[in-house]
């Protein structure tokens, strides 16, 4: 048996430790530094000859030159198996529910999966079947979600099923199948497998471009800048603009089977808010608790810097695992700025050549490679699964020109820019309709999807609405400069048409039972109605009568938004709108 490589600590700079090794080590290999009886987990991030540089996932206080180090021979891994849902982990997949005390002690690593719990296993494969990595051998019910037990992703060859355990209740370490390879060697399979977090799981047949829309119930996203299933997007914005509330709305309402929340470097009070609120939230689609299909990866700003980086990779790996079961997964990362700051700190400590604002030179490539792991895939059995990734970015001072925002913008297809101005005016969600965009509106696959599901003219109507908003903004700027009397009446009409779209379509009350989530059928109905109003030519005597008229119309439309779709109140307000329109529309 090959002995483990060992080494001695040569230097310590914060959580960067240089180690002289006595054998081979690899990039991203895990090692443990021995501080008395405590073992501190670390990851090799650079190898130069016999010197390995490692980032320590714990506080390095008390470490000394000469301390002993052992190398494990594998990368940072997560355990994948039943029991991940409803769990709270840190970035290294330590189960926060089973730790002792309020804080994880240095060197304390808890078991992520309950080894004693029993699961009702039902076989899907049978003796003689030919299988490969990611193929389904059986299933268990994880709460009310179907959890597939798969051929481990590291087993990439072709295997023959020699034996499958009969239906029954077993622990995760129970052998549930025996597979035989081409050489006649047998391999035991349990319900748990391990996978290195920094490698993408590729156990699928193909990965096409996104061709479906992910409905979120948020009108400013679904109507104006849609997110594709398996797509990527990000939400940049300054503090206090509603990033967290918008993420909660997406988690609660989006058309996804599994939600993974990655709090990578957020302040502890915001993360506590997630822990306090999520268990209480009810899934509007199923009536069950939202936490039943959610996993939270928590790495707050007061936890070790290196673990922030690990947390986003851990979250993505769990999403890819459920994608291989044919589930739609949604990854919400808050915030990737803190992850990038962790990369910057490690890069600076290693004295690498800095890029813009001190970030690593390869920041754009690192972010792009990570976002590229999202996507919709066709599995070996023809089923589809997806990982949709929406991250938030917290640029300092709301500066959308800083490196993390610009690098993320290059890597993603949806850009939901939160505006401080809109937030100050209480226009929530504060997504700026002028700055934000969705490139999926230009995808032929998405255009075809909309034509078949909603209507052939839908995309044209979306662009028409965007044009109304743009013209309204231009008119608003002219009115501000020249005054109400200094511009033609047409400018006021254009401005109020854009306000109608803004108030009725782009703004939404996340805390109202009806308005919090809008199904696509209702979005189509209301948006078509608004666009038809905007197409009309109106006659007014002066700008004051124009303002009063549109304010009245906006108020009635807002009451429609707060009324149950097609209810008596909804129809009554609709009739009031029709009567109001007949007053001012040109013949």
């Amino acid at each position: 048996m090959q002995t483990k490589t060992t080494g001695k600590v040569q230097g310590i700079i914060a959580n960067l430790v240089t180690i002289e090794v006595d054998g081979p080590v690899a990039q991203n290999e895990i090692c443990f530094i021995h501080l008395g009886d405590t073992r501190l987990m670390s990851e090799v991030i650079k190898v130069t000859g016999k010197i390995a540089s490692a980032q320590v996932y714990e506080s390095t206080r008390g470490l000394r030159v000469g301390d002993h180090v052992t190398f494990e021979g594998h990368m940072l891994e997560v355990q994948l198996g039943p029991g991940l849902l409803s769990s709270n982990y840190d970035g290294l997949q330590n189960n926060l529910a089973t730790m002792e005390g309020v804080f994880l002690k240095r060197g304390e690593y808890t078991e992520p999966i309950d080894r004693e719990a029993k699961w009702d296993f039902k076989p899907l494969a049978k003796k003689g079947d030919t299988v490969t990595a990611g193929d389904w051998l059986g299933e268990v019910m994880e709460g009310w979600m179907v959890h597939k037990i798969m051929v481990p992703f590291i087993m990439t060859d072709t295997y023959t099923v020699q034996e499958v355990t009969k239906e029954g209740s077993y622990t995760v370490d129970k052998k549930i199948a025996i597979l035989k390879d081409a050489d006649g060697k047998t391999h035991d399979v349990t319900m748990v497998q391990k996978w290195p977090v920094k490698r993408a799981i590729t156990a699928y047949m193909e990965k096409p471009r996104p061709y479906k829309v992910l409905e979120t119930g948020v009108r400013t996203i679904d109507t104006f800048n849609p997110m594709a299933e398996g797509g990527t997007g990000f939400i940049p914005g300054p503090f206090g603009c509603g990033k967290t509330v918008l993420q909660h709305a997406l988690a609660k309402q989006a058309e996804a089977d599994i939600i993974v929340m990655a709090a990578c470097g957020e302040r502890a009070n915001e993360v506590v808010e997630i822990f306090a609120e999520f268990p209480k939230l009810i899934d509007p689609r199923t009536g069950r608790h939202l936490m039943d299909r959610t996993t939270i990866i928590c790495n707050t700003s007061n936890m070790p810097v290196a673990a922030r980086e690990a947390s986003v990779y851990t979250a993505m790996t769990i999403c890819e695992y459920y994608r291989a079961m044919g589930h739609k997964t949604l990854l919400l990362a808050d915030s990737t700025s803190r992850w990038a700051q962790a990369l910057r700190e490690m890069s600076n400590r290693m004295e690498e050549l800095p890029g813009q604002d001190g970030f690593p030179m390869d920041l754009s490539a690192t972010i792009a490679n990570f976002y590229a792991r999202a996507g919709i895939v066709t599995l070996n059995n023809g089923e589809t699964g997806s990982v949709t990734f929406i991250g938030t970015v917290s640029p300092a001072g709301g500066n959308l020109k800083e490196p993390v925002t610009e690098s993320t913008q290059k890597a993603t297809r949806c850009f939901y820019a939160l505006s401080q101005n809109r937030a100050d005016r209480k226009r929530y969600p504060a997504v700026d309709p002028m700055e934000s965009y969705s490139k999926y509106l230009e995808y032929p696959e998405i255009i075809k999807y909309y034509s078949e599901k909603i209507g052939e003219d839908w995309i044209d109507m979306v662009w028409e609405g965007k044009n109304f908003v743009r013209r309204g903004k231009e008119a608003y700027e002219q009115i501000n400069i020249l005054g109400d009397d200094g511009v033609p009446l047409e400018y006021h009409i254009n401005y109020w048409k854009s306000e109608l779209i803004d108030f009725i379509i782009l703004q939404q009350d996340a805390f109202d039972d009806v308005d919090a989530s809008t199904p696509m059928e209702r979005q189509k109905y209301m948006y078509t109605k608004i666009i038809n109003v905007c197409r009309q030519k109106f006659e007014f005597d002066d700008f004051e009568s124009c303002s009063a008229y549109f304010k009245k119309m906006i108020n009635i439309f807002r009451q429609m938004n707060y009324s149950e779709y097609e209810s008596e109140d909804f129809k009554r307000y609709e009739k009031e709108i029709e009567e109001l329109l007949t007053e001012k529309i040109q013949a």
Side-chain angles (χ1 to χ4, degrees):
M1 182 177 174
Q2 187 178 357
T3 57
K4 290 182 178 180
T5 298
T6 61
K8 297 287 184 185
V9 172
Q10 291 292 302
I12 306 157
I13 309 171
N15 67 325
L16 177 68
V17 175
T18 53
I19 305 160
E20 184 177 357
V21 298
D22 63 4
V25 294
Q27 182 92 353
N28 301 121
E29 185 175 342
I30 292 297
C31 61
F32 284 95
I33 302 173
H34 297 264
L35 177 61
D37 295 332
T38 304
R39 299 163 73 235
L40 306 183
M41 185 187 284
S42 314
E43 179 186 11
V44 176
I45 55 177
K46 185 178 181 181
V47 181
T48 310
K50 287 191 172 185
I51 300 297
S53 299
Q55 59 177 351
V56 186
Y57 291 123
E58 306 275 12
S59 167
T60 55
R61 188 165 32 109
L63 276 188
R64 289 178 293 188
V65 171
D67 282 343
H68 185 64
V69 184
T70 56
F71 292 82
E72 296 297 299
H74 63 77
M75 298 167 67
L76 178 63
E77 297 175 328
V78 290
Q79 295 185 29
L80 304 171
L84 293 175
L85 297 183
S86 305
S87 297
N88 302 320
Y89 298 111
D90 76 348
L92 304 179
Q93 212 195 7
N94 291 304
N95 194 329
L96 300 180
T98 58
M99 68 181 188
E100 294 180 11
V102 178
F103 296 101
L104 273 171
K105 296 184 181 70
R106 186 164 62 159
E108 178 188 359
Y109 306 109
T110 61
E111 190 67 42
I113 292 176
D114 188 346
R115 300 286 174 174
E116 305 300 321
K118 290 193 172 184
W119 302 88
D120 294 328
F121 175 76
K122 178 183 175 185
L124 295 176
K126 58 185 184 298
K127 185 176 180 180
D129 285 352
T130 302
V131 294
T132 188
D135 285 351
W136 303 344
L137 298 173
E139 65 184 26
V140 300
M141 293 304 295
E142 188 177 6
W144 53 276
M145 300 299 300
V146 178
H147 187 114
K148 305 294 185 186
I149 307 301
M150 296 172 278
V151 177
F153 302 129
I154 59 170
M155 299 174 66
T156 53
D157 295 331
T158 301
Y159 303 86
T160 304
V161 177
Q162 194 169 5
E163 181 186 320
V164 180
T165 301
K166 64 182 180 180
E167 190 169 340
S169 185
Y170 309 108
T171 60
V172 292
D173 291 320
K174 165 72 176 175
K175 180 173 63 180
I176 57 99
I178 300 174
L179 308 181
K180 186 168 69 174
D181 61 23
D183 298 327
K185 185 179 177 182
T186 58
H187 304 266
D188 295 343
V189 177
T190 66
M191 295 189 201
V192 180
Q193 58 173 306
K194 292 182 179 180
W195 185 259
V197 296
K198 292 191 176 178
R199 280 179 56 197
I201 296 173
T202 56
Y204 48 78
M205 192 161 52
E206 63 172 338
K207 189 178 183 181
R209 288 213 313 180
Y211 55 89
K212 298 179 183 176
V213 171
L214 180 79
E215 293 182 25
T216 66
V218 180
R219 292 190 294 268
T220 188
I221 293 178
D222 290 349
T223 299
F224 253 41
N225 299 300
M227 170 57 68
E229 182 187 329
T232 55
F234 79 116
I235 308 170
F239 175 75
C241 285
K243 290 193 293 293
T244 304
V245 173
L246 183 54
Q247 276 207 327
H248 282 203
L250 294 172
K252 186 176 178 182
Q253 298 155 197
E255 195 183 16
D257 302 320
I258 308 292
I259 308 293
V260 177
M261 298 280 292
C264 46
E266 279 302 296
R267 286 171 294 278
N269 62 323
E270 293 194 17
V271 178
V272 168
E273 188 180 322
I274 294 174
F275 286 142
E277 288 188 10
F278 255 67
K280 299 176 186 174
L281 293 178
I282 300 297
D283 187 343
R285 293 190 302 152
T286 62
R288 298 180 173 92
H289 283 90
L290 183 63
M291 197 64 201
D292 291 348
R293 58 183 181 92
T294 302
T295 299
I296 297 175
I297 311 295
C298 162
N299 249 94
T300 55
S301 54
N302 63 333
M303 295 171 83
V305 172
R308 286 187 207 172
E309 183 195 7
S311 62
V312 291
Y313 288 103
T314 299
M316 179 60 82
T317 304
I318 291 173
C319 283
E320 291 174 329
Y321 176 59
Y322 281 101
R323 175 174 68 182
M325 300 178 199
H327 290 309
K328 300 177 187 175
T329 63
L330 174 63
L331 172 55
L332 300 168
D334 188 14
S335 108
T336 54
S337 293
R338 308 312 201 291
W339 164 45
Q341 286 165 12
L343 295 176
R344 176 170 63 184
E345 287 187 37
M346 295 311 302
S347 175
N348 291 346
R349 284 169 190 165
M350 292 174 66
E351 299 181 353
E352 293 179 344
L353 188 66
Q356 186 182 351
D357 289 2
F359 285 100
M361 294 288 284
D362 61 349
L363 178 68
S364 290
T366 303
I367 290 175
N369 286 340
F370 184 71
Y371 272 88
R373 290 174 64 169
I376 190 166
V377 300
T378 305
L379 304 175
N380 298 331
N381 58 6
E383 299 283 333
T384 59
S386 63
V387 174
T388 306
F389 181 24
I390 302 176
T392 67
V393 175
S394 307
N399 174 25
L400 300 186
K401 299 297 181 185
E402 56 89 43
V404 181
T405 305
E406 290 190 329
S407 298
T408 309
Q409 196 169 356
K410 292 173 189 172
T412 57
R413 293 292 169 265
C414 289
F415 178 62
Y416 302 119
L418 297 186
S419 162
Q420 185 71 61
N421 182 40
R422 284 183 68 83
D424 291 342
R425 295 160 72 192
K426 298 295 184 282
R427 298 193 174 201
Y428 290 111
V431 177
D432 191 320
M434 303 302 298
E435 295 285 339
S436 306
Y437 59 80
S438 170
K439 292 182 180 177
Y440 295 117
L441 282 171
E442 302 167 6
Y443 278 34
E445 300 91 337
I446 299 297
I447 294 173
K448 181 183 177 184
Y449 177 88
Y450 272 128
S451 296
E452 293 173 353
K453 299 288 183 180
I454 298 184
E456 292 185 2
D457 61 341
W458 178 255
I459 298 288
D460 292 334
M461 281 175 56
V462 171
W463 289 115
E464 188 178 359
K466 284 175 175 281
N467 193 39
F468 278 124
V469 172
R470 186 173 293 105
R471 284 162 57 191
K473 185 175 186 296
E474 291 167 356
Y476 177 71
E477 289 171 351
Q478 291 294 319
I479 294 168
N480 260 357
I481 295 168
L482 302 174
D484 290 330
D485 293 325
V487 297
L489 189 58
E490 188 66 28
Y491 281 50
H492 287 277
I493 295 173
N494 287 344
Y495 166 67
W496 280 105
K497 284 179 179 179
S498 73
E499 286 290 272
L500 184 65
I501 294 173
D502 194 331
F503 274 96
I504 309 308
I505 303 299
L506 303 183
Q507 294 179 46
Q508 200 164 346
D509 189 343
F511 302 99
D512 182 78
D513 291 340
V514 175
D515 198 38
S517 179
T518 307
M520 205 62 213
E521 180 190 0
R522 178 168 182 160
Q523 289 190 45
K524 177 189 176 184
Y525 185 84
M526 291 297 290
Y527 185 65
T528 303
K529 209 163 191 61
I530 294 294
I531 291 297
N532 285 334
V533 171
C534 292
R535 288 169 177 166
Q536 304 297 332
K537 292 187 176 180
F538 293 90
E539 285 186 342
F540 296 101
D541 297 328
D542 51 41
F543 72 85
E544 290 176 341
S545 61
C546 171
S547 171
Y549 178 81
F550 274 102
K551 283 179 181 177
K552 185 176 180 181
M553 182 181 290
I554 287 171
N555 282 332
I556 299 172
F557 267 121
R558 289 189 77 172
Q559 295 308 313
M560 287 179 71
N561 277 348
Y562 288 120
S563 304
E564 290 285 352
Y565 186 48
E566 295 186 332
S567 65
E568 290 298 320
D569 286 342
F570 184 89
K571 291 176 180 176
R572 176 164 53 83
Y573 292 127
E574 192 173 21
K575 188 177 179 183
E576 288 182 26
I577 291 290
E578 297 299 329
E579 292 170 355
L580 192 63
L581 283 171
T582 55
E583 293 178 15
K584 295 292 181 182
I585 293 178
Q586 289 182 359

